[in-house]
Amino acid sequence: MEEKDLKISIAHLYPKLLNLYGDMGNIIALTKRCEWRGITVEYDEINIGDDIKDHDFYFIGGGQDKQQEDVAIELYSHKDFLTSQRDDGAVFLGICGGYQLFGHYYQPFDKDKLLGISLLDAYTVAGKKRFIGNVTVDIDFLNPNTLVGFENHSGLTYLQGDTRPLGSVAIGNGNNGEDKTEGARFKNVFGTYLHGSLLPKNPHFADYLIELALEKRYGDKFKLSPLNDDLELMTHNSLVGKKY
Ligand code: GLN
């Protein structure tokens, strides 16, 4: 199939509550990188009370603890459906607070545990220190072999079982500031603490996720045609190894 005949559907989960630090920029990057190739994007905003139907790609951004509480209750009501979507190969990308809800739970300091939907074998507990700053992650599954972004979280996330990190932190704290891991992946579920927003300055990761979403929809592996990423990669490279 030619790229102009392809389509992916994206569900944006609870953007009215979880869209801190411009995480909407990830949706813009995915949509533009498809449209520039002639690939059609069907975009659905999912809000509290909405039903969730089959999509190729599910995105959820970050947010403050209060908004996380409201979303956690709603998201949990869709746990079985979203788990079946994961097992059917759908792509998920969760940023920070959204990432935390992909695990088993997020335990704030002085409040009841927020139940997650266990797409990832991971859990999060509130930390005493807030991690704020630039992050560079060394990865081994893409070229360039780095991801860059900005973190702002106090939650400490620990991975278990077959859930693997996206990579190891070269700059910054990542999942918990202890084990040098950042982010998580199980099947096509990805989580990361990287705001920024992430995908505009990591075009190689954006394309990788689009290819996985196309594979989920059509059952074939795809290699997207190249775009002129000079500006994106110049931005990416200017941030690699940058602490301040
Ligand atoms: N409230 C969570 C924490 O501080 C997530 C914050 C965020 O999404 N930036 O760890």
Side-chain angles (χ1 to χ4, degrees):
M1 289 175 82
E2 290 186 58
E3 288 181 340
K4 65 175 180 54
D5 301 321
L6 299 175
K7 178 192 298 187
I8 61 168
S9 58
I10 301 177
H12 191 171
L13 303 176
Y14 315 111
K16 289 188 171 56
L17 292 166
L18 293 182
N19 183 25
L20 211 52
Y21 313 110
D23 292 327
M24 179 72 187
N26 294 293
I27 294 288
I28 296 170
L30 289 168
T31 302
K32 282 297 176 194
R33 297 188 70 79
C34 283
E35 289 177 353
W36 288 335
R37 293 174 167 110
I39 299 170
T40 302
V41 174
E42 283 177 357
Y43 170 80
D44 291 315
E45 181 177 306
I46 307 293
N47 293 303
I48 298 290
D50 289 349
D51 190 18
I52 304 179
K53 303 224 180 321
D54 283 36
H55 287 78
D56 307 308
F57 198 120
Y58 296 87
F59 176 79
I60 186 167
Q64 303 296 341
D65 285 19
K66 174 67 185 81
Q67 285 75 23
Q68 260 186 300
E69 286 168 33
D70 297 339
V71 170
I73 295 163
E74 179 79 7
L75 199 61
Y76 193 81
S77 72
H78 298 286
K79 176 179 177 181
D80 292 346
F81 171 72
L82 293 173
T83 302
S84 70
Q85 288 287 289
R86 175 201 66 185
D87 295 342
D88 284 350
V91 181
F92 290 77
L93 177 62
I95 309 289
C96 201
Y99 165 31
Q100 294 170 345
L101 296 180
F102 280 175
H104 302 308
Y105 61 84
Y106 169 51
Q107 176 62 69
F109 257 130
D110 51 2
K111 293 182 183 172
D112 293 342
K113 190 183 280 187
L114 302 186
L115 290 181
I117 56 174
S118 300
L119 297 182
L120 296 169
D121 189 356
Y123 64 93
T124 301
V125 294
K128 293 186 175 59
K129 184 178 169 222
R130 188 153 201 87
F131 295 146
I132 299 175
N134 289 324
V135 182
T136 297
V137 188
D138 292 328
I139 60 174
D140 61 7
F141 63 99
L142 290 175
N143 179 32
N145 60 355
T146 45
L147 294 175
V148 294
F150 183 89
E151 65 183 337
N152 181 336
H153 61 103
S154 59
L156 308 174
T157 298
Y158 298 91
L159 310 183
Q160 303 176 136
D162 294 332
T163 294
R164 311 307 303 152
L166 286 182
S168 58
V169 277
I171 298 284
N173 298 279
N175 282 330
N176 49 53
E178 297 162 25
D179 61 15
K180 304 295 283 178
T181 64
E182 161 44 30
R185 178 183 187 176
F186 177 65
K187 296 188 176 180
N188 285 340
V189 178
F190 298 83
T192 178
Y193 275 110
L194 299 188
H195 293 289
S197 41
L198 171 71
L199 296 180
K201 53 175 73 77
N202 296 284
H204 49 315
F205 190 39
D207 284 356
Y208 180 69
L209 296 176
I210 294 168
E211 288 169 353
L212 289 174
L214 287 168
E215 183 177 351
K216 190 270 176 182
R217 188 179 188 94
Y218 296 104
D220 296 324
K221 286 199 180 303
F222 287 84
K223 186 70 191 139
L224 291 173
S225 57
L227 294 173
N228 177 344
D229 284 332
D230 292 351
L231 191 57
E232 291 84 349
L233 291 173
M234 185 171 66
T235 306
H236 176 93
N237 295 333
S238 73
L239 291 167
V240 171
K242 185 176 166 71
K243 194 165 175 59
Y244 302 104

PDB file of all heavy atoms in Angstrom, residues 4 88 92 137 146 183 203:
ATOM      1  N   LYS A   4      -0.179   7.189   0.998  1.00  0.00           N
ATOM      2  CA  LYS A   4      -1.382   8.050   0.860  1.00  0.00           C
ATOM      3  C   LYS A   4      -2.670   7.246   1.047  1.00  0.00           C
ATOM      4  O   LYS A   4      -3.744   7.818   1.236  1.00  0.00           O
ATOM      5  CB  LYS A   4      -1.397   8.745  -0.501  1.00  0.00           C
ATOM      6  CG  LYS A   4      -1.546   7.805  -1.685  1.00  0.00           C
ATOM      7  CD  LYS A   4      -1.669   8.556  -3.008  1.00  0.00           C
ATOM      8  CE  LYS A   4      -1.813   7.585  -4.189  1.00  0.00           C
ATOM      9  NZ  LYS A   4      -2.937   6.616  -3.994  1.00  0.00           N
ATOM     10  N   ASP A  88      -3.842  -6.868  21.656  1.00  0.00           N
ATOM     11  CA  ASP A  88      -4.066  -6.895  20.197  1.00  0.00           C
ATOM     12  C   ASP A  88      -3.009  -6.079  19.447  1.00  0.00           C
ATOM     13  O   ASP A  88      -3.094  -5.898  18.241  1.00  0.00           O
ATOM     14  CB  ASP A  88      -5.455  -6.310  19.853  1.00  0.00           C
ATOM     15  CG  ASP A  88      -6.581  -7.301  20.173  1.00  0.00           C
ATOM     16  OD1 ASP A  88      -6.249  -8.467  20.469  1.00  0.00           O
ATOM     17  OD2 ASP A  88      -7.748  -6.890  20.155  1.00  0.00           O
ATOM     18  N   PHE A  92       0.449   2.349  22.888  1.00  0.00           N
ATOM     19  CA  PHE A  92       0.105   3.282  23.972  1.00  0.00           C
ATOM     20  C   PHE A  92       1.337   4.123  24.268  1.00  0.00           C
ATOM     21  O   PHE A  92       2.456   3.595  24.306  1.00  0.00           O
ATOM     22  CB  PHE A  92      -0.260   2.525  25.246  1.00  0.00           C
ATOM     23  CG  PHE A  92      -1.569   1.782  25.199  1.00  0.00           C
ATOM     24  CD1 PHE A  92      -1.679   0.583  24.516  1.00  0.00           C
ATOM     25  CD2 PHE A  92      -2.690   2.287  25.848  1.00  0.00           C
ATOM     26  CE1 PHE A  92      -2.888  -0.122  24.479  1.00  0.00           C
ATOM     27  CE2 PHE A  92      -3.907   1.599  25.811  1.00  0.00           C
ATOM     28  CZ  PHE A  92      -3.995   0.395  25.127  1.00  0.00           C
ATOM     29  N   VAL A 137      18.463  10.293  27.513  1.00  0.00           N
ATOM     30  CA  VAL A 137      18.366   8.840  27.719  1.00  0.00           C
ATOM     31  C   VAL A 137      19.134   8.123  26.616  1.00  0.00           C
ATOM     32  O   VAL A 137      18.940   8.426  25.421  1.00  0.00           O
ATOM     33  CB  VAL A 137      16.892   8.371  27.679  1.00  0.00           C
ATOM     34  CG1 VAL A 137      16.768   6.903  28.093  1.00  0.00           C
ATOM     35  CG2 VAL A 137      16.026   9.239  28.582  1.00  0.00           C
ATOM     36  N   THR A 146      19.529   8.124  21.212  1.00  0.00           N
ATOM     37  CA  THR A 146      19.201   8.946  22.392  1.00  0.00           C
ATOM     38  C   THR A 146      17.754   9.432  22.296  1.00  0.00           C
ATOM     39  O   THR A 146      17.194   9.551  21.202  1.00  0.00           O
ATOM     40  CB  THR A 146      20.117  10.200  22.450  1.00  0.00           C
ATOM     41  OG1 THR A 146      20.196  10.782  21.133  1.00  0.00           O
ATOM     42  CG2 THR A 146      21.504   9.863  22.957  1.00  0.00           C
ATOM     43  N   GLY A 183      11.717   5.471  31.707  1.00  0.00           N
ATOM     44  CA  GLY A 183      10.618   4.986  30.887  1.00  0.00           C
ATOM     45  C   GLY A 183      10.426   3.490  31.013  1.00  0.00           C
ATOM     46  O   GLY A 183      11.105   2.795  31.783  1.00  0.00           O
ATOM     47  N   PRO A 203      12.081  12.823  16.582  1.00  0.00           N
ATOM     48  CA  PRO A 203      11.300  12.388  15.406  1.00  0.00           C
ATOM     49  C   PRO A 203      11.471  10.904  15.085  1.00  0.00           C
ATOM     50  O   PRO A 203      10.562  10.267  14.570  1.00  0.00           O
ATOM     51  CB  PRO A 203      11.845  13.261  14.273  1.00  0.00           C
ATOM     52  CG  PRO A 203      13.196  13.717  14.725  1.00  0.00           C
ATOM     53  CD  PRO A 203      13.096  13.842  16.217  1.00  0.00           C
TER      54      PRO A 203
END
